[in-house]
Structure formats: structure tokens, C-alpha cells
Amino acid sequence: MLTKLTSFATVGLKSERITVEVASSPGEGDITIVGLGDTAVQESRQRVRMALRSSGFRLPTGHNITVNMAPADVRKVGPRFDLPIALGLLIVYGLIEVEEERLRNMAFVGELSLDGTLRHVSGILPAALACKEAKIPSFAVPWIDGGEASLVTDVRPIAVGHISELIDVLCIDAPPPKIAPPTTALEQYPTLDFADIRGQLLAKRAMEVAAAGGHNVLLSGAPGAGKTLLAKALRSILPPMSIDEALDVTQIYSVANLLRSDCPLMRERPFRTVHHTASGVSIVGGGQIPGPGEVSLAHRGVLFLDELAEFPPAVLEVLRQPLEDRTITITRAQGSVTFPADVLLVAAMNPPQEGNPRSERTRKRISAPFLDRIDLTIAVQSVPIEELAQRTTGEGERSAVIRERVIQARERQRARFAGTKLTTNKEMGIREIREHCTLDATAESLLQTAANKLKLSARSYHRILKVARTIADLDGSERIEHGHLAEALQYRQPLCEG
Amino acid sequence: MRRPRPFWLWKKNWERPPEHLVTGAEGEACAVAYLQDEGYRILGRNVRIGRHGEIDIVAEDPVDKTIVIVEVKSTRSLNPNFPPELHVHWRKRICLRYAARKYVQRFPEECGYRVDLVCVAGRRVIGHYKEIRLGGGEGGGRGNRGVRGERGYRGEYCNRFFPNR
């Protein structure tokens, strides 16, 4: 006897359709699992047998069982095939009767516990998307992952807590348990507000520009000047994610198994802080079975590198390509995987000083090509103690106000790039820059002189134009004025003090 | 001086079967009664296969309708430190595996089977282990050497004890 069930395996960020074939023949009673599964897949034999026993089934003896997972050349990882294997065994043993049609219209993913309950597995959202693509109408998942599976429209999620519930759904067409609606809890606004930061008007403005255009920022300033505070406050002025962006980010977190079960959809932009001891692989992703790294986990959000000068040069060089291409392709002997890596990089460092040998080292560590990819370089000045002590002076702008402006600017960008793949100014290529960043004569001459004086590279030249475009967007202006360009040039300060 | 007569030529030893064979036969009778109580149909007893192979009881499972090759191990003592299952030596496993695979080949149609162990101590069945693992991989017959490192692997010891296998 033979039966076929559909499941999904995670390959990179995508899910691949896997057909789990279960067949039996008379024999000694062995269970063989073939199809390039790892140890967790091999061990599912014991889990499945025990789970079925404790769910009240008596497994007959005298059958040799072969489980084949096709296509056989895709590496299958993890215990997610327990559920289809268990159902296949029950059907092959003749313990349950399921209509062929119903079996074909359902996909199964889930890990079995020894008592037959279903446990959480990673990568449910990509699997549900693949399910939709494969035109399979329903998708059986563990109860915990029901919210995640229900994010995809056109696929009916069947979230069950125990395998016997699923058998009821399959055999006697019982209604599946209701999925708890995903908590659409309001985004948790970060407690740190821009109004709480005294002074730092220039730096605050630069953060606003960065948030509006998605530009990379380098904050350089004396210890204790408030660099880290500014970076953390950036969270509070980032615009909310659209549903598509949120789905993108959720997929990455789902594959990395970092999704919280109580909020299946990531509504808040990620903010990843990386310590300077992090390895290159942990930042860009990798491993024997390539998984996403920090730069992918910060997709559509902020990647914050504190103490930039302490990072090993090799690690920073590794970031160059993803910063430019906004994707990262990891190639291993097993194959290559592409992860999205559209991040807003915020770096903070203490400025190197002339004549200090340690500062010489600092300057060597951060290469010019890396600095070239940073649009806004800001010297954060220490706030005088007198100003800090004054409690009566008016507070700065609240984050909510700044955020409103940022959202307006982003809207303007989206309207401009309507019909193309772009959404923010930082994604503009040469052609888009030529089209959208036209300068008038005075501005043109200003840029000429600045470029000659600062010895700008071609990339820097274009980046300044992009920043100027964002500033104009914040201002609500269709054209880049002289003032916008001047402000953009101001954000390209030399790294070194005096 | 004449050497004394060896003990196996003493008269009392050939007038009745040896003690261990008596124990075994009693145990098998107990096991048959137990299996019949459980609803098994007895298909054969003491089926000899080849030179070393002997199946104590062949039965049919009442629920699965599969053939059950039953190995009976008996002791007289009820000492829990020396239970009957202790005496399923790996040499016995090789024999049993071979015998079971040979036996099911007698049926014209393909049939599933399993190997059970029934333990008898002091003329009472004290354990029934279903579907015991005998080691060895796919296939059967003389060529099957089992899995290296597993019990029942046909290595140097096997050759020493069963030079003809």
C-alpha cells in the first residue's frame, strides 16, 4: 500500500514542496526513511511510533515501511516532517481512512511530541506562501503557529494541538479548532524620545534625514556625547512598515526561528545591535546550512554598530557588498542562498585624533570604501553641562512630530517612484539620480567646487545628490534647492578632528 | 592403570534426557499454553531449519494475522538476577535470524513476520517481548553478515563458532 502527502522544506528563505511517500510491504517490521534527511529526520521514526502509540493506536507488526521524501536531492532539515510521516503510517497501516481528494488538498508541517501533541516548527510563513503558490487550499500546522500561517490569504490554516484533532478533521470532517486571532497589539513605541535628548540639533536633524531617505549614518563624537542615545532614539522616528515589508521581515525571522509566538507578524522595524566581537559569518549569515545573519535580520530596519573602530577590518569589509546591493548571497558547497539585506546602517565611534597612535590604528581599520558607503557623517558635539542642567528651557521636538515628517517624506518618495521597484531615495541608481536629482545652476556650481575641494569619488558625488533629494523631500520641495545641497554637503564631515 | 569412564558414558546419563533439555521442553509447553490463551494459533513446534536453526514455536497473531516466530527461554530458578532473557546470546540471535528468514520463505506468498521472545521461569511465563530486534540488515540467508559493531555481526567470533556459515 502506498500514500503520498505534501509538506514543505525550508531552503534559504524559500520553501520547497516535498512529497512524503509512505509505502509498506510484508516483512520484519523495519521503518526506513530515505530522501537526504538529517539526524532529526531519521529520529522522527521513534517520535512518530511513540506519539501514535500514546494517541491510542496499536501499530500492527509484520510490515516493512519505507518513507521517501521527494525530491531526494533536496536536503531536509529538522523535525517538521513528523506530522506527514505519522499520517502516512496511519493510512498505510489501514488505521484511518482518508479521502484521496482531501489528502491532496492539504499540506502538513509539524513536529510531534511523544504524547502526540504538535510542537512549534520554524519557517511556517515561507511554507504557507509556497502553499499558496502551489495552489494547495489548506495547510495543517501546529496550534502555536496558527497565527503565523493565517497571515497568508487564500490558504486555510488548520492549526491543531494534537494529532488526534487533525485525524478528526481529516476523517470525519470535524471543524478545525478556531485560530486565536493574531494579536494586532499596537506597536510598542520605544520609550526613548527625541525630546529627551538635549541639544544635538544637527545630529537630530541628520537622524531625521537618515530615517526619511534610509541613508547610512556614522556618528562620531567624544565618549559620552550621546551617540548611542541618538542611535537608539532613531527607532522612534522610523516610519511604520507596510504589510509587504512586514511579511518580508517576518519571513526572515520565521526561518531564523526568532519569531515570538504571540505576535506572528513583525509590525515594528527591527533594530539589531551588533557587538564588535561579532564574527563575519554571524553578521552576513552562513553556516553549513546557510541561515540569515544580523544584516538580514535587520532587513527594513536598523543595524547599529557601536564602537565601529573596534570591529576587525575583515568584518567591516564583509559588510561592503550587502550595503551596496541590499542583498547578500551566501555560497557554500551545498549551494547558494540569497537573503535580503536592506538595512539602515548606524555606526558610532570615537573620533580619531591627530598624533594619537591608537587613532592611527583606527583610521587604518576603517577603510575608505566602507566610509564611502556612509551617506551622513556627523560629529556629535558634547552638550555643555550648563545646558543639561537647565530644566526650564523648552524641550526639543517630540519623536511623534518628527516621525510624521518622515512619513510625509517617504510618501513623497513612494509617489515619485510609483511603478518602479524603488521605495526610498537610497535605492536610486545612476539613471534615477539623473532623472530626479536635477540641480539649478547655482547649486551645480556649489557641488562642483565642493567635489573638487573634498576630492569626492563618483560614488560620494551620487550619494550627496541622494541625500540632497531626501532633504528636499523633507522640505516638501519638488526641486533640489541650493540650501538642500548645502545641507547635504554639511553631512559629509571629515572623520578626523582638527 | 585404566582411565575412569567419562561421565557422559555413565548409565544414568543415557537413560533419561539431560536436565537442561527437560527444562527447555517444560518451558516450551508452558509457552504454548500461554500463547493459546492469548489467542495465537500454533502453526508448528520445534521446526528445524538447516544445521543450527531451530524455531521453538511458530504461531499466528490473532490481530495482525502475521506469523510470529517465538523463541522460548526457560529457567527453573526465580532468581531475578538471572532472568531467562539474559541467555539470548548473540550466537542464538544469528541462528534465529537465519531460521526466521528461511522459514518464511517456505510460504508461496510474501508474508510479514516478527520474532517474539517468551520467558518462562519456574514453569510460569514471566515475560513476552514482541518484535525483538535480532540485528542484521536487509536480506537474509547465508550471505547476511549483519552490521559491523552490532551484536550478531558475523565477524571473527562467528567464524570460530560456526565455521561453516
Side-chain angles (χ1 to χ4, degrees):
Chain A
M1 181 145 179
L2 192 145
T3 185
K4 290 183 184 183
L5 297 99
T6 310
S7 187
F8 291 96
T10 307
V11 180
L13 212 53
K14 292 273 174 296
S15 257
E16 197 148 323
R17 184 178 174 167
I18 302 289
T19 307
V20 178
E21 302 172 338
V22 186
S24 83
S25 66
E28 267 185 3
D30 296 329
I31 298 183
T32 320
I33 298 178
V34 297
L36 212 62
D38 68 347
T39 315
V41 175
Q42 295 299 329
E43 285 167 348
S44 88
R45 177 183 353 212
Q46 274 82 15
R47 277 195 300 275
V48 164
R49 282 178 79 113
M50 229 11 144
L52 292 182
R53 275 182 74 94
S54 43
S55 310
F57 292 101
R58 180 189 181 277
L59 301 182
T61 51
H63 295 274
N64 272 347
I65 301 287
T66 306
V67 178
N68 178 35
M69 293 190 279
D73 58 346
V74 176
R75 190 164 285 282
K76 285 107 191 154
V77 186
R80 48 198 294 138
F81 304 104
D82 287 3
L83 186 57
I85 291 174
L87 287 173
L89 271 184
L90 289 178
I91 293 167
V92 156
Y93 280 143
L95 296 174
I96 59 171
E97 296 264 330
V98 185
E99 287 168 37
E100 194 68 19
E101 186 67 25
R102 190 170 290 167
L103 212 56
R104 219 175 309 128
N105 287 337
M106 204 183 280
F108 307 90
V109 162
E111 176 185 345
L112 277 176
S113 161
L114 290 188
D115 59 356
T117 50
L118 287 168
R119 297 164 61 99
H120 159 79
V121 292
S122 64
I124 289 285
L125 180 61
L129 288 168
C131 202
K132 180 182 173 183
E133 218 166 86
K135 297 201 170 53
I136 297 171
S138 23
F139 185 31
V141 294
W143 167 253
I144 284 183
D145 302 318
E148 198 181 331
S150 63
L151 293 176
V152 180
T153 51
D154 306 340
V155 174
R156 187 173 74 117
I158 297 172
V160 285
H162 195 276
I163 188 168
S164 52
E165 289 173 31
L166 183 60
I167 291 165
D168 286 351
V169 172
L170 280 170
C171 298
I172 58 172
D173 207 9
K178 268 206 154 38
I179 294 171
T183 44
T184 45
L186 285 173
E187 297 156 57
Q188 291 264 313
Y189 281 102
T191 46
L192 198 59
D193 198 288
F194 262 63
D196 301 335
I197 304 172
R198 301 257 160 168
Q200 306 289 19
L201 291 179
L202 178 75
K204 281 187 193 172
R205 171 70 181 167
M207 290 315 237
E208 183 184 336
V209 173
H215 302 292
N216 300 329
V217 194
L218 171 61
L219 300 164
S220 144
K227 306 181 290 291
T228 311
L229 204 63
L230 279 164
K232 290 199 170 137
L234 176 63
R235 269 188 114 160
S236 62
I237 61 164
L238 286 173
M241 282 199 282
S242 68
I243 289 294
D244 285 345
E245 286 177 327
L247 277 177
D248 272 3
V249 175
T250 309
Q251 273 192 67
I252 299 169
Y253 276 72
S254 176
V255 166
N257 209 358
L258 290 173
L259 212 56
R260 280 180 28 220
S261 60
D262 57 333
C263 56
L265 185 66
M266 302 266 305
R267 299 309 302 266
E268 210 182 324
R269 287 187 187 266
F271 184 94
R272 304 291 297 187
T273 310
V274 181
H275 192 249
H276 61 253
T277 50
S279 68
V281 167
S282 76
I283 287 182
V284 296
Q288 218 177 17
I289 298 140
E294 288 293 335
V295 75
S296 300
L297 291 175
H299 181 57
R300 308 273 183 210
V302 177
L303 180 70
F304 179 42
L305 309 180
D306 210 352
E307 305 300 346
L308 184 72
E310 304 302 324
F311 277 83
V315 172
L316 292 183
E317 300 311 303
V318 140
L319 271 173
R320 267 157 59 177
Q321 185 262 329
L323 282 183
E324 197 65 24
D325 299 343
R326 292 182 299 278
T327 56
I328 173 85
T329 304
I330 299 160
T331 307
R332 295 287 181 271
Q334 309 281 354
S336 72
V337 179
T338 302
F339 291 113
D342 185 3
V343 298
L344 197 170
L345 179 82
V346 179
M349 64 182 289
N350 299 328
Q353 287 145 356
E354 282 298 334
N356 186 338
R358 193 174 157 75
S359 297
E360 288 304 314
R361 189 174 133 250
T362 300
R363 203 165 321 148
K364 264 185 219 150
R365 288 187 89 140
I366 306 173
S367 69
F370 183 81
L371 284 179
D372 218 24
R373 283 167 172 79
I374 290 175
D375 303 330
L376 309 168
T377 312
I378 304 136
V380 180
Q381 304 295 337
S382 304
V383 181
I385 295 296
E386 298 81 56
E387 196 177 325
L388 280 180
Q390 278 173 359
R391 277 151 215 237
T392 50
T393 48
E395 284 188 336
E397 271 181 311
R398 298 210 66 83
S399 284
V401 181
I402 304 176
R403 191 166 190 250
E404 209 43 56
R405 278 207 300 274
V406 169
I407 293 171
Q408 292 288 329
R410 287 248 174 158
E411 268 314 310
R412 208 160 284 127
Q413 292 167 35
R414 202 164 297 135
R416 183 185 315 126
F417 299 129
T420 61
K421 276 186 180 174
L422 312 184
T423 50
T424 50
N425 281 341
K426 75 163 166 189
E427 295 163 31
M428 283 195 288
I430 306 282
R431 194 174 300 157
E432 286 87 12
I433 291 174
R434 201 177 302 143
E435 192 180 330
H436 301 299
C437 306
T438 42
L439 299 172
D440 55 15
T442 50
E444 189 72 56
S445 68
L446 173 68
L447 187 55
Q448 290 289 337
T449 33
N452 289 334
K453 207 166 178 186
L454 296 171
K455 297 194 185 68
L456 292 183
S457 69
R459 181 171 22 219
S460 310
Y461 177 86
H462 287 127
R463 281 188 177 246
I464 284 175
L465 281 176
K466 287 190 210 174
V467 174
R469 181 67 258 172
T470 305
I471 295 167
D473 284 336
L474 273 172
D475 210 17
S477 150
E478 275 309 307
R479 295 174 46 78
I480 301 177
E481 310 276 341
H482 185 271
H484 301 146
L485 187 68
E487 191 182 339
L489 283 168
Q490 192 191 350
Y491 295 134
R492 194 153 269 277
Q493 294 166 351
L495 192 59
C496 196
E497 273 183 352
Chain B
M1 200 172 82
R2 262 192 72 168
R3 282 165 61 189
R5 179 183 282 183
F7 77 96
W8 42 270
L9 278 179
W10 295 357
K11 192 180 175 214
K12 69 164 188 184
N13 281 335
W14 73 70
E15 279 191 344
R16 64 190 174 106
E19 286 294 299
H20 67 283
L21 294 189
V22 175
T23 313
E26 279 174 0
E28 279 173 29
C30 284
V32 166
Y34 160 80
L35 289 172
Q36 280 172 336
D37 267 9
E38 294 283 305
Y40 285 77
R41 198 156 65 88
I42 305 297
L43 300 180
R45 289 181 63 175
N46 297 336
V47 184
R48 300 221 49 120
I49 285 156
R51 180 170 167 183
H52 298 282
E54 186 193 18
I55 299 172
D56 293 337
I57 304 168
V58 183
E60 192 192 41
D61 192 306
V63 183
D64 300 342
K65 304 291 175 201
T66 51
I67 289 172
V68 186
I69 311 282
V70 185
E71 168 66 17
V72 184
K73 275 287 168 204
S74 349
T75 58
R76 287 203 170 162
S77 81
L78 286 166
N79 186 347
N81 294 330
F82 297 97
E85 54 265 40
L86 201 66
H87 305 296
V88 188
H89 196 258
W90 54 263
R91 267 171 357 226
K92 184 69 198 169
R93 291 186 209 194
I94 293 176
C95 294
L96 206 54
R97 188 171 78 215
Y98 175 74
R101 286 174 180 174
K102 273 287 180 199
Y103 180 77
V104 292
Q105 284 173 16
R106 293 183 179 177
F107 294 89
E109 74 275 15
E110 212 181 5
C111 61
Y113 68 97
R114 66 165 204 257
V115 182
D116 282 13
L117 172 68
V118 174
C119 300
V120 182
R123 295 184 191 160
R124 284 180 58 189
V125 174
I126 59 161
H128 181 182
Y129 299 88
K130 290 180 181 174
E131 213 172 6
I132 58 168
R133 295 276 139 204
L134 296 173
E138 293 266 315
R142 286 166 173 255
N144 183 18
R145 283 140 200 262
V147 181
R148 182 172 217 148
E150 231 179 63
R151 272 301 163 91
Y153 168 64
R154 187 199 174 201
E156 50 176 313
Y157 295 105
C158 282
N159 285 332
R160 203 161 80 209
F161 287 108
F162 303 125
N164 292 333
R165 282 271 174 95

